[in-house]
Every structure is written in structure tokens, then in C-alpha cells.
């Protein structure tokens, strides 16, 4: 998946100094080793405490060679963060609205799946919600990620329900995203996980907010 991040992406310049220079099989393998080494180290250590030398040692790759793929250790974790987004998007995209009787149940399932995804991968949780992580200068990318994720969810709802009369609903779902993000971050920073209770709080807050704009029963298409 990392190649999908780099391909035709202006974001790649934030991750690697030479976007397409190392596309050989050996280059792809080394890049993957560095990513997996960083992920492995982050499972037991604070991300801010991990150096490029640590990652290279774990991966068995000389530091001089690693510079060809990532200019610094922050760029490795930034790449992992992009990959986390891709995986999360792919998993949530598979949740079908038609399997639920109400839009509220679909929204709840999206949040339950999100909790499961993050709690099953400590690196995901640390990179998204941890306080001891690099200060990524990627606010524009994060904003686009949020728009894409909520756009996918609204798109699925709109393909099943008649939502043409609900204006600016995309913006309302972005507010929901911000609320959920805050609740998940609070939970992780207090308990090192997104607890069941905080997961329920996220569902309650999201549905309560959306009910102000959406009826209890949306008309089917």
C-alpha cells in the first residue's frame, strides 16, 4: 500500500526526497522493512523516543541506505500514518448501509469498527491519538482525509436514503468526526486504549448531534 501513497501524490515529497528513484524490488523491500521496523518499535516505546538509528538497526539496513527512502524518522511515521488512513478507509467502506434498519445503526457500526481497528493496532492509536508523537506538519492532508472519510460515509447513506433535502449534511458529519476524534483521543490518553465506555460515548454524541438535522427515519430511495 505504501506505493499507492507515493504514486502521483504531492504528499510524497513530505515523505521521501526522491519520489520515484527507488522503485526496484530491492528498494521496495527495504522501504517496507523500515516501515515494519518502526511499527515494531512503536509497539513498546514512545514514538518520540525512537530514532532513525533505532529503526535502521531493527530493520537491518545501514543508515546511509535508509536516507534514500526516508529523510528522517518522522517521515517514516508519517508514512505509517498515511497507511493507517488507507486501511481504515478500506475497512469502513465495506460496511453496507443496507444491512441496517436505521441510519443510526449504520453510524454506530462505523464507530464500533473504528474502535476495533485502533485497539487492535497500538501504533494506529499512538499515531492518531497519542501525545508523545511527532508534530506532523500535515494539517492540510489531515483535513482532506477527514473530508474523504466523511464523504464516503455520506455517499453511502445518500445511495440508500433520499437525503436531497438535507443541505450541508457533509459539514455536519465533519463536526461528528471532530467530536469522535476528541473522545477517542481523551480515552487513549487516559487509558492507553479506546474503552468500551468511551466508544459508547462517541456513538451517543454522534447520533444525538445528527438527530438535530436528520429525522428518526430517513426515506428510502
Amino acid at each position: 500500500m505504501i506505493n499507492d501513497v507515493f504514486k502521483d501524490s504531492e504528499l510524497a515529497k513530505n515523505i521521501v526526497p526522491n519520489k520515484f528513484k527507488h522503485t526496484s524490488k530491492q528498494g521496495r523491500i527495504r522501504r517496507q522493512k523500515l516501515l515494519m521496523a518502526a511499527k515494531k518499535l512503536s509497539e513498546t516505546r514512545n514514538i518520540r523516543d525512537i530514532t532513525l538509528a533505532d529503526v535502521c538497526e531493527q530493520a537491518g539496513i545501514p543508515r546511509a541506505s535508509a536516507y534514500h527512502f526516508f529523510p528522517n524518522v518522522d517521515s517514516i511515521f508519517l508514512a505509517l500514518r498515511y497507511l493507517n488512513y488507507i486501511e481504515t478507509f478500506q475497512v469502513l467502506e465495506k460496511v453496507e448501509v443496507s444491512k441496517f434498519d436505521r441510519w443510526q445503526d449504520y453510524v454506530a457500526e462505523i464507530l464500533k469498527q473504528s474502535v476495533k481497528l485502533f485497539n487492535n493496532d497500538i501504533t494506529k492509536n499512538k499515531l492518531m491519538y497519542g501525545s508523545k508523537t511527532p508534530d506532523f506538519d500535515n494539517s492540510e492532508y489531515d483535513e482532506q482525509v477527514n473530508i474523504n472519510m466523511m464523504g464516503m460515509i455520506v455517499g453511502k447513506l445518500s445511495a440508500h436514503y433520499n437525503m436531497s433535502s438535507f443541505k450541508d449534511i457533509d459539514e455536519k458529519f465533519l463536526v461528528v468526526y471532530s467530536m469522535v476524534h476528541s473522545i477517542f483521543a481523551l480515552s487513549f490518553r487516559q487509558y492507553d486504549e479506546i474503552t468500551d465506555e468511551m466508544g459508547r460515548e462517541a456513538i451517543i454524541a454522534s447520533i444525538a448531534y445528527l438527530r438535530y438535522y436528520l429525522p428518526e427515519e430517513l426515506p428510502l430511495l
Side-chain angles (χ1 to χ4, degrees):
M1 288 191 296
I2 190 63
N3 292 319
D4 293 334
V5 175
F6 295 147
K7 185 177 181 181
D8 298 328
S9 174
E10 285 300 310
L11 297 167
K13 65 186 179 183
N14 296 323
I15 302 176
V16 290
N18 298 296
K19 189 163 42 173
F20 298 112
K21 184 176 179 181
H22 297 279
T23 56
S24 66
K25 181 178 180 181
Q26 182 183 21
R28 291 193 298 271
I29 290 173
R30 287 193 168 191
R31 182 182 290 139
Q32 191 70 15
K33 281 184 176 181
L34 290 166
L35 288 165
M36 292 304 97
K39 180 175 171 58
K40 181 70 174 177
L41 290 170
S42 70
E43 291 173 358
T44 56
R45 295 172 56 180
N46 290 329
I47 291 176
R48 272 189 187 158
D49 297 335
I50 299 171
T51 66
L52 183 61
D54 294 332
V55 175
C56 291
E57 181 179 358
Q58 178 73 25
I61 294 174
R63 199 185 319 185
S65 178
Y67 285 126
H68 292 299
F69 305 102
F70 299 100
N72 51 54
V73 71
D74 284 2
S75 64
I76 297 177
F77 285 109
L78 183 58
L80 283 174
R81 187 167 172 172
Y82 292 170
L83 289 174
N84 289 343
Y85 159 69
I86 293 170
E87 181 183 2
T88 302
F89 188 97
Q90 289 175 341
V91 170
L92 297 185
E93 193 176 28
K94 293 178 181 178
V95 180
E96 295 299 335
V97 180
S98 58
K99 292 183 178 180
F100 304 94
D101 294 330
R102 308 181 310 150
W103 63 264
Q104 296 92 327
D105 298 327
Y106 168 71
V107 170
E109 183 62 21
I110 285 288
L111 294 177
K112 290 175 184 177
Q113 289 293 328
S114 298
V115 170
K116 183 178 178 181
L117 271 169
F118 281 96
N119 282 342
N120 284 345
D121 189 337
I122 187 63
T123 301
K124 272 191 178 68
N125 256 333
K126 286 183 177 181
L127 285 172
M128 182 62 72
Y129 303 120
S131 58
K132 297 180 179 180
T133 56
D135 295 323
F136 298 123
D137 184 19
N138 62 331
S139 58
E140 183 178 341
Y141 175 75
D142 281 345
E143 181 180 353
Q144 190 58 52
V145 162
N146 301 347
I147 291 172
N148 290 348
M149 187 72 74
M150 293 303 100
M152 179 270 292
I153 292 171
V154 172
K156 281 183 165 290
L157 285 167
S158 299
H160 187 70
Y161 296 107
N162 184 351
M163 298 179 64
S164 59
S165 60
F166 304 106
K167 305 300 182 184
D168 302 323
I169 197 63
D170 299 71
E171 294 180 8
K172 310 310 177 189
F173 270 85
L174 284 172
V175 173
V176 169
Y177 182 93
S178 296
M179 291 192 300
V180 170
H181 180 83
S182 297
I183 293 170
F184 285 2
L186 177 63
S187 181
F188 182 73
R189 291 173 186 179
Q190 287 185 336
Y191 307 108
D192 292 326
E193 67 173 352
I194 304 170
T195 64
D196 291 341
E197 180 181 358
M198 293 299 253
R200 287 192 294 271
E201 289 295 321
I203 292 172
I204 291 169
S206 300
I207 293 176
Y209 175 79
L210 289 171
R211 275 180 172 145
Y212 187 83
Y213 300 99
L214 298 176
E216 285 295 307
E217 294 187 13
L218 281 169
L220 294 172
L221 285 174

